[in-house]
Amino acid sequence: MKRVLPLLCGFMLAPAAAHAVEAPQKGGTLRILVSSAVGTLDPQISYVGLTKFFETPVYDTLLTYPKFAGPGAQPVIPNLAVNVPLPEDNGLTYRLTLRNGIHFSNGQLLTLADVVASFRRIFAAGSPTAGPYYSAIKGADACLKDPAHCTLAEGIETDVATNTITFHLSRPDPEFLEHLAWFHASILPANTPAHDMGNTAPPGTGPYQITDYNPTTHMRFERNPYFHEWSHDAQPAGFPDHMEVTFGLEPESAVTAVENDQADLMYENVPLDRLGEVGSKYADQVHIFTPLLYYYATLNVNEPPFTSLKVRQALNYAVNRHAMVIYDGGSAVAYPQCQLLPEGTPGYERFCAYTAGASPQNPAPEWVKPDMEKARQLVQESGTKGMRVTIVTPSGGKSDNTALELRSVLENLGYKASVHSISPAVHFTFVQNSDNHVQISISGWNADYPSAASFLDTLFACSNFHLHSDNSPNMSGFCDPRIDDMMHHAAQLTLTDRAASNAMWAQADKALMAQAPAVPLVQTKRVVLVSKRTRNVIITLNDEILLSQLQVP
Amino acid sequence: MLMAALRRLGQTVFVLFGISALVFAVFFATPGADPTARIAGKNASPQTMQKVRQEYGFDRPLPVQYAIMMKKLFITQDLASYADRGELVVPEITRAAPVTVSLVCGAAVIWVVFSIAMGTLAAALKGTWVDRTLMMLGLVGISIPVFWLGQVANLITQNRYHDTWLFSWVPALGYVPLTQNPWGWFKALIIPWVVLAVLFIGVYSRVLRADLVALSGEDFIRTARAKGLSPSRILIRHGLRTAMVTFVSLFGMDFAQLVGGGALLTEVVFGLPGVGRLTYQALTNLDLPLIMATVMYSAVFVVLANAAVDMIYLLLDPRVRDAR
């Protein structure tokens, strides 16, 4: 803790300064450093943040998340479609009109046939979100069972005369518009093969195209010669002529390379031990923003001692969030998290049920300090003192420190605690599987788009707990029909009354915290370093830094 | 001779089979290592999981999966990564190998030249301050972890003193292909070469000195001395040649191990996209096809190096020849 504190002073004293407004500058080559590659380039298959980051200026969806910052940037906006449809038939029908005159990067004109084929391909190629995001489309169930013969004939109707496309759902999906904007619904040419395209990027409609890619060494972007800006807010034209990505430099070396002007942008966060240096010497090149990402300890409600509500509450009272903030880099880049919705999501209302002087019935406005006395009393009442608890954590980095802090807290509460560090590559699937009997684990969760359901429903709804499966995002194994109903109601309200829906989600957040199926720890910020020459850094809620908008001489 | 070659080939196949079976078994015995969920993506539906399982053959018995993987690796050479279906692992290794060979060959030249010079000089001046200083330097070289030395080298040349006249020539970390820019290739590799060589200079110079000192009491050295040959001639022509048997034996194994991916830490620290970094990446992602390919590649090198070392023995030491 002592070692980290002085390093933070730079950021505390010198927050990132905005560049002076200058005339937009087109041209040049933007050089980006990334420590390791992104895997498959297929926009309908890849499910990693880095691919989305790179493919935002390459592919388009019918609707999209706004490419501008600010409080108005939450709801989806039209992109390849000219309108955001209103739900019809109680949320069972959505009608959109396709824009005219848009071409793919191979010169092909985008038509309704491409749109229909792209939605079929989601199932045929096995998109990860085919089930969770698109199964409400009529005929999707058959497509999931038999992807090779997917037609979606009943689910998608087109009218060439009016250039409209109509989605028919088998059940209302309150987030269907957000799902249309998700990058797995990218519109690709109808003749794109129905399998993972791997290292070959299919043609897209955005301002750039990926022309060269080797997942171990590099990636190259060039302008899409057929692109014209149809909506600046949805898909703005790009500034650099080329973008070159180099894979393989560790973040430590990437910081140095950007400082030396050998590169323009490092994708990874600035490592903790370099925060002081960049905060003091390169503050005007640092950009800090808050993604919808938080870290938490999942408590398995089906494994003792966390079967006891009192134990779960005790741990929530006992964890020192201030220490967790320090382990994450300090107050400039992280802040205490006390609830299951992070700041920035619809329905977020700040509260803290477990801190000194607070309770689920009378939450405090924010986290103050741990209440060890209350925590010890709850453990005593639970009769679980002396039990063994193993914390499963992804090895390396701050997770280890977080786990060690948690171990110390558990031991203070009277448990025999130990830490089991496992490879980050398997940690996420390992802790999900009920067969592995994980009691408590350290995890992070980043929503695909701003949605309360992406946190509360995905992580704590009965339907997302699957026994014996590596894909069971409800890692706590929590299931409370009363809270499930509340979340379902909140989701349905989205279709008719967003304000009421948000209020209901806030209630669900409180109700879940009262049951304490997890210990929220910190919400973190991204700290990105750019070169001296890089200008026009635009950060959005969904797409982080907009690559296409960076200007280099 | 033919029988010996066949025996050697048989041993090689057996070793490769053993290693591959072990890597495969350990992977699938590791809890949570099942790649299905990782390939299908977070929260994928059970149907999508099933689709992935079928496509990748994870629903088939393990021996069948093993046989298919070996066929794809060695015969059809179309084994694809689990992390990226478009990444064929054999061409990936083919692309990475020249980087590793460039790194290891350059480092080998440095460590061979320096260790022979240091070891011989120390043996010749046994017991003097020169001997003690050289051997202490060797020990320091052995003791410094290569990743630490690499990071310090980067800190000095890329960060603290990068803008000074001393290190302004140092290029950005990464690899420049020899065919594209020979001078750039040299500049990009000179610091990694030295960093990688430091440990081996320490080891080899100490081993060589110890051998030369031990040999000085042997009958054939005494005979040479009795014949009135000069000390330097005795040391170099008689002593060094015989001491090189151990040296070459060590060199063969180390060189092969490094070319096979053992220079992993150096490659990672200096951002060189060689076989070592590929191995690191495979282990980080727990990507079995890539792990299997890099391990097999490394094993082949070590086995081949063993055979090469045996041949060189014959040239260096007449006693080995006699033993045949």
Side-chain angles (χ1 to χ4, degrees):
Chain A
M1 197 183 297
K2 258 183 183 170
R3 203 167 54 83
V4 179
L5 270 172
L7 300 177
L8 308 172
C9 297
F11 277 122
M12 305 298 269
L13 297 174
H19 286 291
V21 178
E22 291 172 13
Q25 207 158 4
K26 279 200 168 190
T29 299
L30 181 73
R31 302 156 305 166
I32 306 157
L33 297 176
V34 182
S35 70
S36 62
V38 292
T40 176
L41 287 182
D42 196 316
Q44 296 198 317
I45 303 287
S46 175
Y47 207 0
V48 291
L50 182 58
T51 311
K52 182 172 175 287
F53 175 69
F54 281 137
E55 295 193 341
T56 295
V58 178
Y59 298 102
D60 286 292
T61 38
L62 292 172
L63 307 177
T64 193
Y65 311 114
K67 303 290 186 299
F68 53 85
Q74 243 181 28
V76 295
I77 57 172
N79 190 14
L80 292 176
V82 295
N83 62 310
V84 175
L86 290 171
E88 300 169 29
D89 304 335
N90 295 319
L92 290 175
T93 304
Y94 291 86
R95 218 175 291 272
L96 303 96
T97 304
L98 189 66
R99 282 183 205 274
N100 284 316
I102 293 176
H103 291 79
F104 290 104
S105 56
N106 61 359
Q108 201 178 315
L109 183 71
L110 187 151
T111 65
L112 288 172
D114 298 313
V115 177
V116 177
S118 296
F119 278 88
R120 274 191 213 124
R121 190 176 180 275
I122 289 173
F123 298 92
S127 176
T129 53
Y133 284 4
Y134 306 103
S135 60
I137 300 172
K138 264 191 188 169
D141 288 340
C143 287
L144 279 168
K145 281 185 197 129
D146 183 10
H149 300 99
C150 177
T151 63
L152 290 177
E154 295 170 68
I156 304 181
E157 188 188 331
T158 56
D159 182 349
V160 179
T162 54
N163 215 22
T164 56
I165 177 160
T166 308
F167 290 92
H168 298 289
L169 307 190
S170 54
R171 58 179 187 277
D173 174 1
E175 298 196 340
F176 187 64
L177 299 181
E178 278 81 2
H179 296 159
L180 288 184
W182 178 240
F183 87 128
H184 287 157
S186 292
I187 307 302
L188 307 175
N191 58 0
T192 307
H195 58 73
D196 185 345
M197 293 291 285
N199 294 353
T200 308
T205 46
Y208 291 95
Q209 54 182 330
I210 298 170
T211 52
D212 193 11
Y213 174 58
N214 179 319
T216 57
T217 54
H218 69 278
M219 177 151 73
R220 183 176 171 83
F221 295 76
E222 286 173 20
R223 286 190 187 279
N224 168 5
Y226 298 94
F227 177 81
H228 66 90
E229 189 178 276
W230 59 80
S231 163
H232 186 78
D233 288 346
Q235 186 57 286
F239 286 99
D241 282 341
H242 305 280
M243 297 192 277
E244 300 272 4
V245 184
T246 304
F247 300 114
L249 275 199
E250 293 299 299
E252 288 282 351
S253 306
V255 170
T256 308
V258 177
E259 287 174 356
N260 289 345
D261 272 337
Q262 293 159 339
D264 297 309
L265 167 71
M266 62 175 288
Y267 175 76
E268 277 81 21
N269 269 348
V270 174
L272 288 185
D273 62 342
R274 303 293 290 273
L275 286 179
E277 172 194 333
V278 299
S280 58
K281 288 190 193 165
Y282 304 94
D284 58 343
Q285 291 169 236
V286 176
H287 295 269
I288 305 179
F289 55 95
T290 312
L292 299 176
L293 164 68
Y294 71 92
Y295 291 89
Y296 66 116
T298 60
L299 307 179
N300 192 336
V301 301
N302 303 308
E303 296 287 337
F306 301 112
T307 44
S308 161
L309 172 61
K310 289 185 175 178
V311 176
R312 303 198 298 267
Q313 292 183 326
L315 196 56
N316 264 289
Y317 273 119
V319 167
N320 185 340
R321 268 81 170 180
H322 179 64
M324 296 302 180
V325 166
I326 299 288
Y327 291 132
D328 268 73
S331 55
V333 292
Y335 43 89
Q337 180 75 9
C338 210
Q339 58 191 98
L340 297 168
L341 272 184
E343 192 173 338
T345 42
Y348 171 80
E349 280 177 20
R350 190 190 295 269
F351 72 94
C352 189
Y354 303 102
T355 182
S359 69
Q361 294 73 36
N362 293 299
E366 57 192 21
W367 187 83
V368 185
K369 61 178 184 177
D371 189 340
M372 286 305 288
E373 202 178 315
K374 176 97 177 165
R376 286 200 187 97
Q377 183 197 332
L378 284 165
V379 170
Q380 194 69 41
E381 288 170 11
S382 73
T384 59
K385 204 169 170 179
M387 286 181 78
R388 289 188 181 280
V389 179
T390 302
I391 305 159
V392 179
T393 184
S395 58
K398 60 190 180 186
S399 299
D400 283 336
N401 293 334
T402 305
L404 290 174
E405 172 70 21
L406 266 185
R407 185 183 71 176
S408 152
V409 172
L410 283 162
E411 284 182 343
N412 268 337
L413 292 176
Y415 296 103
K416 291 172 187 149
S418 58
V419 174
H420 178 202
S421 254
I422 60 174
S423 162
V426 296
H427 169 264
F428 186 57
T429 47
F430 181 85
V431 300
Q432 288 184 74
N433 198 322
S434 55
D435 292 344
N436 296 323
H437 301 286
V438 174
Q439 295 166 290
I440 171 171
S441 76
I442 311 288
S443 286
W445 192 257
N446 194 175
D448 291 341
Y449 52 86
S451 144
S454 293
F455 287 93
L456 303 187
D457 189 276
T458 306
L459 298 179
F460 302 105
C462 303
S463 56
N464 286 319
F465 174 47
H466 310 291
L467 280 166
H468 321 297
S469 170
D470 281 353
N471 237 336
S472 175
N474 180 349
M475 290 166 261
S476 302
F478 181 79
C479 180
D480 182 330
R482 184 183 59 87
I483 298 179
D484 252 28
D485 282 348
M486 196 183 279
M487 292 195 286
H488 181 69
H489 187 46
Q492 293 304 316
L493 274 174
T494 311
L495 294 168
T496 51
D497 186 346
R498 279 198 178 259
S501 164
N502 287 349
M504 186 63 89
W505 279 119
Q507 270 189 48
D509 194 7
K510 291 190 176 87
L512 275 166
M513 272 317 291
Q515 294 300 312
V519 184
L521 301 171
V522 286
Q523 184 169 4
T524 57
K525 298 184 184 184
R526 289 263 281 127
V527 182
V528 178
L529 183 69
V530 299
S531 66
K532 283 184 193 74
R533 67 176 195 152
T534 306
R535 298 283 180 274
N536 199 40
V537 177
I538 295 175
I539 295 160
T540 69
L541 191 57
N542 286 284
D543 301 298
E544 304 195 353
I545 288 177
L546 291 181
L547 273 186
S548 66
Q549 298 309 291
L550 295 175
Q551 297 170 9
V552 284
Chain B
M1 189 66 190
L2 183 67
M3 278 309 289
L6 284 174
R7 200 163 46 237
R8 172 68 70 176
L9 187 69
Q11 283 169 358
T12 307
V13 171
F14 182 75
V15 168
L16 293 181
F17 168 74
I19 294 172
S20 61
L22 198 66
V23 170
F24 191 84
V26 166
F27 179 85
F28 280 101
T30 306
D34 179 359
T36 311
R38 285 186 283 144
I39 295 169
K42 72 176 179 187
N43 203 15
S45 66
Q47 294 95 328
T48 308
M49 294 265 282
Q50 186 55 28
K51 184 177 190 296
V52 167
R53 206 169 278 126
Q54 274 173 356
E55 274 179 22
Y56 280 81
F58 297 144
D59 53 349
R60 307 178 77 170
L62 282 183
V64 175
Q65 287 189 48
Y66 171 79
I68 292 172
M69 181 171 277
M70 288 303 113
K71 181 184 142 210
K72 286 184 168 183
L73 181 60
F74 289 108
I75 300 169
T76 55
Q77 301 197 345
D78 60 350
L79 183 62
S81 147
Y82 286 167
D84 174 6
R85 239 179 275 202
E87 187 183 0
L88 299 180
V89 298
V90 175
E92 206 58 72
I93 287 182
T94 314
R95 278 192 291 270
V99 181
T100 302
V101 170
S102 297
L103 171 69
V104 177
C105 286
V109 169
I110 294 173
W111 99 59
V112 166
V113 169
F114 275 82
S115 59
I116 290 178
M118 278 171 63
T120 312
L121 194 62
L125 302 172
K126 188 179 75 170
T128 65
W129 67 269
V130 177
D131 175 26
R132 281 195 294 273
T133 307
L134 287 176
M135 289 305 98
M136 206 166 68
L137 283 176
L139 197 62
V140 170
I142 296 168
S143 313
I144 297 177
V146 70
F147 63 89
W148 182 85
L149 188 62
Q151 288 289 15
V152 170
N154 281 342
L155 185 71
I156 294 169
T157 62
Q158 295 279 351
N159 197 337
R160 292 289 162 84
Y161 301 101
H162 181 71
D163 295 331
T164 66
W165 61 271
L166 202 56
F167 295 116
S168 54
W169 61 271
V170 178
L173 294 179
Y175 181 69
V176 178
L178 177 65
T179 48
Q180 193 180 307
N181 178 359
W183 178 233
W185 173 84
F186 180 82
K187 284 199 296 180
L189 285 172
I190 182 72
I191 295 170
W193 282 340
V194 174
V195 166
L196 181 59
V198 164
L199 160 76
F200 295 101
I201 292 172
V203 174
Y204 282 62
S205 61
R206 288 178 68 89
V207 167
L208 188 62
R209 179 199 173 273
D211 273 5
L212 285 171
V213 169
L215 284 169
S216 66
E218 291 277 328
D219 289 348
F220 71 96
I221 297 285
R222 272 205 298 273
T223 308
R225 216 176 279 137
K227 278 165 44 183
L229 297 179
S230 70
S232 57
R233 191 177 163 86
I234 294 169
L235 183 70
I236 293 168
R237 281 294 296 272
H238 296 271
L240 192 56
R241 179 176 166 168
T242 314
M244 287 302 278
V245 171
T246 315
F247 191 98
V248 167
S249 166
L250 268 179
F251 179 82
M253 297 307 288
D254 285 334
F255 186 82
Q257 183 258 342
L258 288 175
V259 172
L264 181 150
L265 293 173
T266 313
E267 289 182 7
V268 170
V269 168
F270 290 100
L272 301 168
V275 180
R277 194 164 67 76
L278 212 54
T279 310
Y280 171 77
Q281 186 190 320
L283 291 171
T284 308
N285 294 332
L286 220 67
D287 188 1
L288 178 63
L290 204 49
I291 293 174
M292 189 65 89
T294 52
V295 168
M296 290 292 97
Y297 174 85
S298 176
V300 165
F301 264 97
V302 172
V303 171
L304 289 180
N306 243 331
V309 166
D310 288 353
M311 295 297 156
I312 296 171
Y313 270 175
L314 298 179
L315 296 175
L316 282 174
D317 192 346
R319 289 173 298 182
V320 179
R321 262 175 273 168
D322 293 346
R324 289 169 68 216

